[in-house]
Amino acid sequence: MRITELLTKETIQLNISSDSKSGVIDELVTVLDKAGKLQDVQEFKKAILNREAQSTTGIGEGIAIPHAKTAAVKSPAIAFGKSVEGLDYESLDGTPAHLFFMIAATDGANQTHLEALSRLSSLLMDPEVRQALLSAKSEDEVITIINTHDQEDEEEEEAVEESSSSSNKILAVTACPTGIAHTYMAADALKAKAKELGLDVKVETNGSGGAKNILTADEIENAPAIIVAADTKVEMERFKGKRVIQVPVAEAIRKPADLLSRAEKQDAPVYSGGGNKEEDTSKESKGKSGFYKHLMNGVSNMLPFVVGGGILIAISFLFGPDSADPDSSEYNQFAAIINTIGGSNAFFLMIPVLAGFIASSIADRPGFAPGMVGGLIAATGDSGFLGGLIAGFLAGYVTLGIKRVTKNFPQALEGIKPVLIYPVFAIFITGFIMLQFLVEPLSAVNTWLQSWLEGLGTGNLIFLGLLLGGMMAIDMGGPINKAAFAFGIATIEGGNLAPHAAIMAGGMVPPLGLALATTFFKSKFNENERKAGIPAYFMGASFITEGAIPFAAADPLRVIPSAVVGSAVAGALTMVFHIGLPAPHGGIFVFPVVEGNAFLYLLAVLIGSVITAIMVGLLKKPVK
């Protein structure tokens, strides 16, 4: 596919009028929207800004390439804008940006689209192309320039691949979070500079279409050094014992000569695998650190087991409360099958999976097995969700400790560490500590918690519903929200379904309340906010609390208190109505399987949403 099948005359704006980064983004988003390339303008812009928050896409040399890969894109496209005067785009080299390419890729973009998008990024590394585009006077001239150099670029890429077959070359890996721009620009910058310096280099690209030009074991063995220019996770264990230079992907675009010179001189520390000092100081490891990050890695991977298992159990109850019991007159074979799948299998796995993924977040792949074993001990020892949490963190840090103790072992033992030393010692130590010191106390705590919940009177239950519902709206997807959510999952695992009903109701209210406010108090919102209200209905109905974040960010002092009050009321009402929720996610789609009256549950959510909408309507000032 040619680049100009994605960059058309309809998506070119030769005269950018804005003098700010945010203004340029707005203009190019509008260009794509008018050309019919977007499903959801606000979601696409949000994805663009999220990518900018990770690192600026102003790559220097007068170029900026804002980009996003999201379901908000209807069809892959490229928008081009030009500012002859230039403007501050927070570029990496501090210079004004003149040329702007906004890349819009769909979640399901096929390989030909991704290759064309990546080829554009590579093409812009050519100074001749940049100068020609800056001088272009018409849309047709821009198309002609791209077409001419697009063909030349394909031929050059083939030549580079053919020349990369020699041994003892400098190796590199490039990767960015989106994988459609910086990944390939960094690769081309390294290749071009290596050719200029007379060096032999091979670059593996980890883009949206998967890893390309993958480094072989022989090449790694013979390489003087490896450059890893990445802002996202890449497979690092293969580089154990080699000299590795780890930098952000933008560094390879800006300073390829410095990186190649360091690699040639072997001016780099020896990489000794996950968990050592060198890796912990890398950008990737910093991004993965922290209790909250590890916890959410476990919870997010556990969630499908809880959702799938919970809904299957709830469906089995539709045949009768005792439909899975062979000794009951209500017995139904199909109900018994789905109850066994959901309860005895999916639900049983959730604690080991939680612990396994917490441990792997801490210690990478070697932490997974001891985490699973520790979680299994917690599950079979009746220590529940709390036991799974502790088992995951215990296994992760035990594995890290073993890695550090063994990092100076002879090189001949490197190959057996991940397959023998790590699993044997980490599983033994984790299992021993769990069985000998933790299972019984944690089981007692878990039993006490369930007894406390079951023993709460009506007034206390209402207060608990107020608290949990309000927590869901305070930071709308942040640590407080997730803490309430984790508590709800723990109570589901323990057999108490009421708290999570309050939690989901509280999480649905903020986006639904703000959506109602944009509908009935239109004068209090600008045009973009009113448009954002429409998808907020769907996000609220689907229990995606984050749908209210744009409104809260724009006016936190009025929106957040309104959302908290509405969510707290909804949470309290679910307790009053005696609602239980077996599935921790799904919004209105799981209402049919709730314990209690589904219509009363819906009423609780609607009342909370209306309260939020009215408070927002009264507190916000009209938009002039």
Side-chain angles (χ1 to χ4, degrees):
M1 170 179 276
R2 303 301 298 271
I3 293 173
T4 48
E5 292 180 53
L6 303 175
L7 174 65
T8 63
K9 292 171 67 173
E10 292 74 24
T11 59
I12 294 175
Q13 182 162 323
L14 288 175
N15 297 304
I16 291 289
S17 59
S18 301
D19 58 2
S20 67
K21 177 177 179 176
S22 60
V24 171
I25 289 173
D26 285 340
E27 283 193 56
L28 294 180
V29 169
T30 301
V31 167
L32 289 170
D33 185 39
K34 287 181 177 178
K37 304 298 183 182
L38 304 180
Q39 297 268 27
D40 187 324
V41 177
Q42 292 302 318
E43 279 302 303
F44 176 70
K45 182 179 175 183
K46 181 180 175 182
I48 288 285
L49 294 177
N50 285 341
R51 175 61 187 89
E52 292 293 331
Q54 294 171 357
S55 61
T56 181
T57 59
I59 62 170
E61 304 292 345
I63 306 170
I65 311 181
H67 55 277
K69 186 180 177 198
T70 168
V73 176
K74 185 183 298 182
S75 58
I78 302 168
F80 169 65
K82 183 176 70 169
S83 169
V84 176
E85 295 80 10
L87 56 93
D88 180 11
Y89 198 90
E90 303 173 7
S91 297
L92 294 170
D93 60 1
T95 60
H98 298 271
L99 304 174
F100 309 92
F101 286 86
M102 180 172 282
I103 297 175
T106 59
D107 264 345
N110 63 39
Q111 190 58 37
T112 55
H113 289 143
L114 295 172
E115 287 173 357
L117 294 171
S118 65
R119 222 164 48 247
L120 168 69
S121 304
S122 302
L123 182 148
L124 293 174
M125 297 306 295
D126 187 341
E128 182 182 343
V129 176
R130 299 198 297 267
Q131 186 55 50
L133 290 171
L134 193 58
S135 304
K137 303 297 183 185
S138 68
E139 290 86 354
D140 288 327
E141 193 174 346
V142 171
I143 297 293
T144 301
I145 293 166
I146 297 293
N147 271 335
T148 301
H149 292 274
D150 187 15
Q151 182 177 0
E152 291 174 356
D153 184 67
E154 288 176 341
E155 293 170 355
E156 182 180 346
E157 185 174 350
E158 291 174 5
V160 170
E161 290 305 317
E162 289 174 2
S163 69
S164 65
S165 60
S166 62
S167 61
N168 199 34
K169 61 176 72 68
I170 294 171
L171 303 181
V173 180
T174 62
C176 74
T178 311
I180 57 177
H182 288 59
T183 299
Y184 302 99
M185 299 185 77
D188 279 354
L190 289 167
K191 292 176 190 175
K193 187 56 67 173
K195 185 177 180 181
E196 181 183 321
L197 298 173
L199 299 175
D200 195 3
V201 66
K202 178 178 178 179
V203 185
E204 173 184 307
T205 54
N206 286 237
S208 292
K212 301 293 183 185
N213 211 24
I214 296 173
L215 309 179
T216 67
D218 286 342
E219 289 170 332
I220 294 170
E221 180 65 29
N222 295 320
I226 297 104
I227 300 166
V228 178
D231 289 337
T232 189
K233 187 171 183 178
V234 298
E235 177 54 53
M236 293 293 295
E237 290 300 302
R238 53 188 165 155
F239 302 139
K240 274 186 178 180
K242 301 298 297 183
R243 295 192 177 276
V244 178
I245 302 168
Q246 296 187 67
V247 294
V249 69
E251 196 78 1
I253 300 173
R254 294 176 56 213
K255 301 177 180 178
D258 291 349
L259 295 177
L260 290 166
S261 175
R262 285 182 58 192
E264 184 184 20
K265 298 173 183 175
Q266 300 188 26
D267 178 16
V270 174
Y271 182 78
S272 55
N276 61 23
K277 182 179 179 181
E278 174 195 325
E279 185 178 56
D280 288 345
T281 58
S282 71
K283 185 172 182 177
E284 172 203 343
S285 296
K286 287 179 182 177
K288 290 181 66 179
S289 64
F291 174 87
Y292 176 71
K293 183 75 173 178
H294 304 318
L295 173 62
M296 285 303 104
N297 189 57
V299 170
S300 62
N301 282 285
M302 176 188 71
L303 199 56
F305 295 86
V306 187
V307 174
I311 291 177
L312 287 174
I313 293 170
I315 292 173
S316 76
F317 290 158
L318 297 178
F319 292 88
D322 298 315
S323 58
D325 183 0
D327 298 325
S328 171
S329 59
E330 294 181 342
Y331 177 71
N332 179 286
Q333 187 176 8
F334 179 71
I337 290 172
I338 59 176
N339 186 281
T340 300
I341 294 170
S344 302
N345 294 277
F347 248 49
F348 180 74
L349 283 172
M350 70 180 189
I351 299 301
V353 167
L354 169 73
F357 280 97
I358 288 175
S360 65
S361 177
I362 295 168
D364 289 319
R365 190 178 303 169
F368 186 71
M372 286 286 290
V373 172
L376 184 62
I377 292 172
T380 54
D382 295 325
S383 55
F385 187 81
L386 179 60
L389 285 177
I390 292 176
F393 283 98
L394 172 65
Y397 289 112
V398 163
T399 307
L400 272 187
I402 294 170
K403 285 184 174 184
R404 286 172 180 156
V405 168
T406 60
K407 71 177 181 179
N408 294 321
F409 274 24
Q411 188 68 28
L413 297 178
E414 284 296 319
I416 68 168
K417 281 204 262 185
V419 297
L420 179 62
I421 295 175
Y422 296 159
V424 169
F425 285 94
I427 289 173
F428 168 71
I429 294 172
T430 301
F432 184 83
I433 293 174
M434 288 293 297
L435 286 170
Q436 295 299 312
F437 302 106
L438 297 178
V439 166
E440 289 188 11
L442 291 173
S443 178
V445 170
N446 193 49
T447 301
W448 172 83
L449 175 63
Q450 298 308 322
S451 299
W452 174 73
L453 287 171
E454 291 169 3
L456 287 176
T458 301
N460 289 331
L461 283 173
I462 292 173
F463 176 76
L464 182 63
L466 279 167
L467 176 64
L468 293 174
M471 287 174 69
M472 293 300 291
I474 290 175
D475 55 358
M476 302 179 190
I480 297 174
N481 171 288
K482 290 297 188 291
F485 186 79
F487 176 79
I489 291 178
T491 61
I492 289 176
E493 190 270 338
N496 192 316
L497 308 182
H500 205 83
I503 287 164
M504 191 163 84
M508 294 172 69
V509 162
L512 287 174
L514 270 299
L516 288 171
T518 61
T519 300
F520 295 103
F521 301 97
K522 293 183 179 180
S523 64
K524 304 297 180 76
F525 299 91
N526 61 38
E527 183 180 355
N528 287 335
E529 289 172 329
R530 290 196 294 272
K531 288 180 180 178
I534 297 173
Y537 278 112
F538 296 97
M539 287 189 277
S542 303
F543 184 36
I544 303 174
T545 315
E546 289 85 347
I549 288 177
F551 303 97
D555 193 358
L557 294 180
R558 296 176 177 85
V559 170
I560 292 177
S562 303
V564 170
V565 171
S567 293
V569 170
L573 286 174
T574 65
M575 294 294 190
V576 172
F577 296 150
H578 303 291
I579 307 297
L581 184 65
H585 216 295
I588 61 172
F589 301 103
V590 297
F591 276 28
V593 299
V594 300
E595 281 190 357
N597 192 313
F599 293 103
L600 289 178
Y601 193 24
L602 178 62
L603 179 63
V605 173
L606 289 176
I607 290 173
S609 301
V610 169
I611 289 173
T612 292
I614 291 173
M615 286 185 64
V616 168
L618 294 175
L619 293 175
K620 279 183 71 68
K621 296 178 180 179
V623 174
K624 296 181 182 180

